[in-house]
Amino acid sequence: MGSGDLESRGSSKNRGPPPPPPASNYYTSSSPYYTESLEKQWTSWLVPMIVVANVAMFVVIMIVNDCPKNHNSSLEGNCVARFLGRLSFQPLKENPLFGPSSSTLEKLGALEWKKVVNDNQAWRLVSCIWLHAGVIHLLANMLSLVFIGIRLEQQFGFARVGVIYMLSGIGGSILSTLFIKNNISVGASGALFGLLGAMLSELLTNWTIYANKAAALTTLVIIILINLAVGILPHVDNFAHIGGFLTGFLLGFILLVRPQFAWQERRHLPVEARGKSKYTVYQYVFWILSMILLIAGFAVGLIMLLKGENGNDHCSWCHYLSCVPTSRWHCNNR
């Protein structure tokens, strides 16, 4: 969050411990999401590295795809932007996102139920996070990652944000594979929704340090609901979004806990003079419950997946969470 460390005040040894500065020196509200504190601010390098890795991976995908060589133009039209050579895109009728063919994505690690369950290729739960269906898909995800991830990394460090990103991506992959049988899935959306979920739980578990609580909560919930609502459109894997969001939400209670305001206010005093516990009871309760739910959720999901079970058999209406059929489109994810 904020930058700088607490500095000792007062020059006389006989004055005793200096009085705590006003609360306004500790917390201000520069945005609806977070308050600013005098805690250490981390330098963000992990999120930019993830962006670079995703862009580099997309270039590799397009080189392998090699549309001019592998595509039959007489059947489906010409490659788009042929001046790019091997990097040119599939015809827009085949891929409107300016990207490779589905067969290329499948070859390089796209998430597919049959490959994971029947061919024991569980590594696809991770590899699919680093693949994107096209330039538009890549730009949308990477811009979101920059706006969400850099701020979180500056506040909580690369280790915690990295764990949330990867585990949320895997959680999204597991839920997606359990419910979507007929399509492949790629993208970092599950991991990104995990960061959104972590932001929400961080707000709830650190409620006492926020200046504009209602504004922060309302804004964040609206952003999450809008993004989840977009997921009910066809060709969007909302199960990856939901799985990633739930994983990140639980991880936020575990990894993003902050000391309560009263402890922060007195932390420069001697230990015996603080008189306040570092964390509140509800923070401990959230931490324990989230740890139990997270472990149980991953265990149940992986067991169901390895057994080849179809999540739709246990939830007859859940398929509507990813696609709602209308007169203009149909859904075929089951």
Side-chain angles (χ1 to χ4, degrees), residues 42 44 46-47 50 145 148-168 191 194-195 198 251 255-256:
W42 299 76
S44 177
L46 178 64
V47 169
I50 292 175
L145 175 60
I148 299 172
I150 287 181
R151 181 103 192 216
L152 280 177
E153 187 179 357
Q154 288 175 341
Q155 294 166 7
F156 297 101
F158 69 91
R160 285 183 279 185
V161 171
V163 169
I164 293 172
Y165 184 85
M166 286 305 303
L167 288 183
S168 297
L195 296 181
L251 284 170
L255 298 177
L256 305 185

Side-chain angles (χ1 to χ4, degrees), residues 1-314:
M1 281 187 185
S3 59
D5 298 322
L6 288 176
E7 297 179 356
S8 59
R9 300 185 182 184
S11 57
S12 174
K13 295 183 180 179
N14 298 324
R15 292 180 181 177
S24 60
N25 287 346
Y26 277 83
Y27 297 97
T28 59
S29 179
S30 63
S31 79
Y33 295 108
Y34 297 99
T35 55
E36 301 294 331
S37 73
L38 295 180
E39 295 177 354
K40 175 182 178 181
Q41 184 174 22
W42 299 76
T43 299
S44 177
W45 61 265
L46 178 64
V47 169
M49 287 296 293
I50 292 175
V51 173
V52 171
N54 275 279
V55 173
M57 188 63 201
F58 185 74
V59 173
V60 171
I61 293 171
M62 297 309 301
I63 292 175
V64 173
N65 186 68
D66 195 0
C67 182
K69 178 180 178 181
N70 299 320
H71 175 69
N72 190 339
S73 300
S74 61
L75 296 178
E76 299 179 358
N78 294 325
C79 300
V80 177
R82 289 181 63 89
F83 63 88
L84 294 175
R86 296 187 64 169
L87 298 178
S88 58
F89 312 118
Q90 296 295 116
L92 295 182
K93 290 184 178 179
E94 181 182 350
N95 187 343
L97 299 177
F98 296 96
S101 65
S102 57
S103 60
T104 299
L105 292 172
E106 182 181 342
K107 182 192 305 183
L108 294 179
L111 189 62
E112 185 180 9
W113 183 84
K114 292 180 180 179
K115 299 288 186 181
V116 174
V117 176
N118 297 336
D119 298 337
N120 298 317
Q121 296 181 4
W123 52 270
R124 289 179 179 269
L125 296 172
V126 178
S127 62
C128 68
I129 302 171
W130 304 94
L131 304 178
H132 287 85
V135 173
I136 297 177
H137 188 202
L138 177 68
L139 286 177
N141 277 349
M142 293 304 100
L143 288 175
S144 299
L145 175 60
V146 168
F147 282 111
I148 299 172
I150 287 181
R151 181 103 192 216
L152 280 177
E153 187 179 357
Q154 288 175 341
Q155 294 166 7
F156 297 101
F158 69 91
R160 285 183 279 185
V161 171
V163 169
I164 293 172
Y165 184 85
M166 286 305 303
L167 288 183
S168 297
I170 296 172
S173 296
I174 292 174
L175 193 65
S176 175
T177 312
L178 286 174
F179 285 93
I180 296 181
K181 305 297 181 183
N182 301 323
N183 299 319
I184 64 173
S185 179
V186 295
S189 300
L192 293 174
F193 269 80
L195 296 181
L196 280 175
M199 289 174 65
L200 179 58
S201 55
E202 191 273 330
L203 168 62
L204 296 176
T205 195
N206 301 320
W207 187 255
T208 61
I209 72 172
Y210 278 77
N212 298 324
K213 298 176 176 63
L217 181 61
T218 302
T219 304
L220 188 53
V221 169
I222 289 175
I223 291 174
I224 292 170
L225 291 177
I226 290 175
N227 280 275
L228 288 175
V230 172
I232 66 175
L233 298 175
H235 310 302
V236 179
D237 185 0
N238 213 27
F239 285 114
H241 297 169
I242 296 171
F245 175 81
L246 292 176
T247 303
F249 183 69
L250 295 176
L251 284 170
F253 287 119
I254 298 170
L255 298 177
L256 305 185
V257 183
R258 292 182 184 276
Q260 60 171 311
F261 177 77
W263 186 89
Q264 288 270 27
E265 194 177 32
R266 303 185 181 190
R267 63 181 177 175
H268 65 290
L269 296 177
V271 175
E272 62 274 8
R274 289 177 186 171
K276 291 287 185 180
S277 62
K278 189 172 183 179
Y279 301 106
T280 62
V281 173
Y282 76 84
Q283 286 177 316
Y284 286 112
V285 172
F286 280 154
W287 192 95
I288 294 172
L289 290 177
S290 297
M291 182 65 74
I292 294 173
L293 291 173
L294 185 67
I295 295 174
F298 267 85
V300 171
L302 287 172
I303 290 172
M304 290 180 63
L305 185 59
L306 295 177
K307 286 184 176 181
E309 295 190 27
N310 188 336
N312 294 289
D313 295 338
H314 302 276

